[in-house]
Amino acid sequence: MLAKEDLIYLKEHLTFWEKLSDKEKQLFEKHFSIVKYRKGENLHGAGKECLGLILIKSGELRIYILSDEGRDFTLYRLNEGNSCVLSASCILNNLTFEVLIDAEQDTEVLMLDVNTFSKLSQENIYVENYAYKKTADRFSDVMWAIEQVLFMSFDKRLAVFLYDEMIKTKSNIIKLTHEQIAKYVGSAREVVSRMLKSFETQGILKLSRGTIEIIDKDKLRKII
Amino acid sequence: MLAKEDLIYLKEHLTFWEKLSDKEKQLFEKHFSIVKYRKGENLHGAGKECLGLILIKSGELRIYILSDEGRDFTLYRLNEGNSCVLSASCILNNLTFEVLIDAEQDTEVLMLDVNTFSKLSQENIYVENYAYKKTADRFSDVMWAIEQVLFMSFDKRLAVFLYDEMIKTKSNIIKLTHEQIAKYVGSAREVVSRMLKSFETQGILKLSRGTIEIIDKDKLRKII
């Protein structure tokens, strides 16, 4: 059974709530549960079963694809207040691709199991439509990622990433390894390290073990 | 006013038809029209206004993105019986990216203008849901294209393309320029020409002006 605050959180975020019958509301309330993931944990993909609908309470999930040779491409990342529908892609027939989902931080989610989600989205068109609308949001995210990788020069891409990260974390110190950044921007660690070193030489940032300190925001912005 | 056969074609392909009220059906019938495009014509994007919902009667549309520097990446192609919803992306709020759409062949479509489509998808959740489901289909197509470009070596990608094209056209003669193929597989013309030449040397195909004749299907399949 969900705590009262979690129920309020659900109703706030699931835009179809008012379109549910009382019986359906009860089903939702009964079958949503709190699940916690540790940083680095894999939630979905790699042979794991389909999870269901996820609403993130705190933390961060990374959704990515992996080649046979182990090449990794980040499609997008999701934070608090976002719902993740690709974790229920097995019941959305129009989605025919597979993704992997990892927790990038310690993450707490509200999860509706896949059977209940399937039943409710078959019964109530507003639930199904919610899932497909969220899918369209994610499609937009993926298009953004593709355009970055295909069309943007690497220095720009890295600068955009660092700038966004700075705004997101409200700090000029970015606590990520070069390996992590490479995954986020769809590149190799060596390429990221080389470009960061070049940014350091240009006086844009200062590198130290595990952190990157942005020391000249204006210069960084000029690259973008 | 649509011809009777076009109306039957519509009803067959628009899966929400039975969920429409009589008034809505009349609106659909009244506002769908036949539009013809010449091979090479641009339908959508590049500053053009949003068209509406398109159902392809014959021909082929190519949906792609273009960088500021003119680099072109094919997301997918659509043929007879497919509907194109990105031509109405302006009314699908969850889609925040822009694509271009060209006719690859002389193409005939049934088109519902964007105002009527907008009105009907706001009124009837089944119409909106149809659009978002089709969007999810296209998301799957795009994921396939990304995986090809990011993860597959170029010889494989080109071999897959030639093989698919052979099956699609039911002919071992492919009538496409190297430039066109480059657009479809997301590469440069020079790279395509070089690889085709290498395939020719391996005895897989024979090149002549404007056509590629596959002479050893088994060898081609082995690359895939």
Side-chain angles (χ1 to χ4, degrees):
Chain A
M1 198 63 188
L2 288 182
K4 203 174 169 190
E5 50 160 76
D6 290 332
L7 204 53
I8 293 170
Y9 193 75
L10 264 194
K11 289 180 190 175
E12 264 176 24
H13 287 87
L14 303 181
T15 48
F16 54 77
W17 195 263
E18 292 311 315
K19 301 286 187 182
L20 299 174
S21 69
D22 287 343
K23 212 183 134 202
E24 287 166 343
K25 281 181 188 168
Q26 279 166 22
L27 256 179
F28 264 99
E29 291 178 19
K30 198 177 154 195
H31 287 276
F32 256 106
S33 58
I34 294 278
V35 184
K36 291 177 186 183
Y37 295 99
R38 289 227 162 266
K39 183 176 175 173
E41 206 174 324
N42 173 260
L43 284 69
H44 177 83
K48 284 210 173 70
E49 271 179 46
C50 198
L51 285 174
L53 178 66
I54 284 175
L55 176 62
I56 303 175
K57 270 192 75 181
S58 65
E60 183 172 83
L61 300 180
R62 181 170 76 96
I63 289 78
Y64 62 105
I65 50 175
L66 205 58
S67 76
D68 293 341
E69 288 87 32
R71 237 193 107 182
D72 175 311
F73 179 70
T74 299
L75 299 169
Y76 51 85
R77 292 185 282 162
L78 295 174
N79 297 88
E80 189 186 326
N82 278 121
S83 60
C84 181
V85 285
L86 292 194
S87 50
S89 60
C90 56
I91 66 150
L92 301 170
N93 296 330
N94 301 58
L95 293 177
T96 57
F97 56 93
E98 272 302 320
V99 298
L100 290 101
I101 307 176
D102 285 1
E104 287 294 289
Q105 310 289 340
D106 289 345
T107 300
E108 202 173 321
V109 307
L110 284 156
M111 188 186 293
L112 179 66
D113 67 282
V114 75
N115 290 331
T116 312
F117 185 43
S118 169
K119 181 176 152 59
L120 283 164
S121 70
Q122 275 169 39
E123 258 180 46
N124 188 319
I125 180 86
Y126 290 93
V127 177
E128 184 184 84
N129 198 44
Y130 171 85
Y132 278 112
K133 275 185 165 178
K134 288 289 162 194
T135 303
D137 285 335
R138 299 297 86 82
F139 188 6
S140 302
D141 293 339
V142 166
M143 286 302 298
W144 190 86
I146 300 175
E147 289 184 0
Q148 295 264 315
V149 167
L150 291 181
F151 294 158
M152 208 181 261
S153 62
F154 185 66
D155 58 339
K156 246 187 191 170
R157 241 156 82 204
L158 186 59
V160 167
F161 175 80
L162 295 173
Y163 205 84
D164 286 352
E165 201 63 24
M166 209 168 55
I167 295 195
K168 209 175 90 179
T169 60
K170 293 178 189 121
S171 160
N172 60 339
I173 294 175
I174 296 166
K175 286 181 187 160
L176 291 170
T177 65
H178 300 188
E179 183 75 40
Q180 283 175 304
I181 295 175
K183 280 186 184 171
Y184 297 152
V185 298
S187 183
R189 190 192 54 73
E190 296 74 16
V191 181
V192 170
S193 296
R194 202 183 314 129
M195 191 59 80
L196 284 173
K197 194 82 202 145
S198 149
F199 284 177
E200 188 174 38
T201 314
Q202 294 169 57
I204 296 166
L205 47 79
K206 215 173 123 38
L207 299 171
S208 42
R209 186 183 282 272
T211 66
I212 298 160
E213 186 186 353
I214 310 293
I215 53 176
D216 194 334
K217 283 186 203 178
D218 292 336
K219 258 193 193 165
L220 183 66
R221 201 193 276 134
K222 268 183 198 150
I223 301 174
I224 306 167
Chain B
M1 200 63 187
L2 289 181
K4 203 174 169 188
E5 50 160 77
D6 290 331
L7 205 54
I8 293 171
Y9 193 73
L10 264 194
K11 289 180 188 172
E12 263 175 28
H13 287 88
L14 302 181
T15 49
F16 54 78
W17 196 263
E18 292 312 314
K19 301 287 186 181
L20 298 173
S21 69
D22 287 343
K23 211 182 133 202
E24 287 166 342
K25 280 179 188 168
Q26 280 166 20
L27 256 179
F28 264 99
E29 291 178 20
K30 196 176 154 197
H31 287 275
F32 256 105
S33 57
I34 294 276
V35 185
K36 291 178 185 181
Y37 295 98
R38 289 230 163 265
K39 182 175 175 175
E41 206 174 323
N42 173 259
L43 284 70
H44 175 85
K48 285 210 173 67
E49 270 179 47
C50 197
L51 285 175
L53 178 67
I54 283 175
L55 177 62
I56 303 174
K57 270 192 77 180
S58 65
E60 182 172 84
L61 299 180
R62 182 170 76 97
I63 289 79
Y64 63 104
I65 50 175
L66 204 58
S67 76
D68 293 340
E69 287 89 31
R71 238 193 103 182
D72 175 311
F73 180 70
T74 299
L75 298 169
Y76 51 86
R77 291 186 282 162
L78 294 175
N79 297 88
E80 189 186 324
N82 277 121
S83 60
C84 181
V85 285
L86 292 194
S87 51
S89 60
C90 55
I91 67 149
L92 301 171
N93 296 330
N94 300 59
L95 293 177
T96 57
F97 56 93
E98 273 301 321
V99 298
L100 290 102
I101 307 177
D102 283 2
E104 287 294 289
Q105 311 289 340
D106 287 346
T107 300
E108 202 174 321
V109 307
L110 285 156
M111 188 186 294
L112 180 66
D113 66 280
V114 74
N115 290 331
T116 312
F117 185 42
S118 169
K119 181 177 152 58
L120 282 163
S121 71
Q122 274 168 39
E123 257 180 46
N124 189 319
I125 180 86
Y126 289 94
V127 177
E128 183 184 86
N129 198 46
Y130 171 84
Y132 278 111
K133 274 184 165 177
K134 287 290 162 192
T135 303
D137 284 336
R138 299 297 87 82
F139 188 7
S140 302
D141 292 340
V142 166
M143 286 302 299
W144 189 86
I146 300 175
E147 288 183 1
Q148 295 263 314
V149 168
L150 291 180
F151 294 159
M152 209 182 259
S153 62
F154 185 67
D155 58 338
K156 244 187 192 170
R157 240 156 81 202
L158 186 59
V160 167
F161 174 80
L162 295 173
Y163 205 84
D164 286 352
E165 202 62 24
M166 209 168 54
I167 295 192
K168 210 175 89 180
T169 59
K170 292 180 188 117
S171 161
N172 61 339
I173 294 176
I174 296 167
K175 286 180 188 160
L176 291 171
T177 65
H178 300 189
E179 182 74 39
Q180 283 176 303
I181 297 176
K183 280 187 185 172
Y184 297 153
V185 299
S187 184
R189 190 191 54 73
E190 295 75 16
V191 181
V192 169
S193 295
R194 203 183 313 129
M195 190 61 78
L196 284 172
K197 194 83 203 145
S198 149
F199 284 177
E200 188 174 38
T201 314
Q202 294 169 57
I204 296 167
L205 46 80
K206 214 172 123 37
L207 297 171
S208 41
R209 187 181 280 273
T211 65
I212 298 160
E213 186 186 353
I214 310 293
I215 52 176
D216 194 334
K217 283 187 202 179
D218 292 337
K219 257 194 194 163
L220 184 65
R221 200 193 277 134
K222 267 183 198 150
I223 301 174
I224 307 168

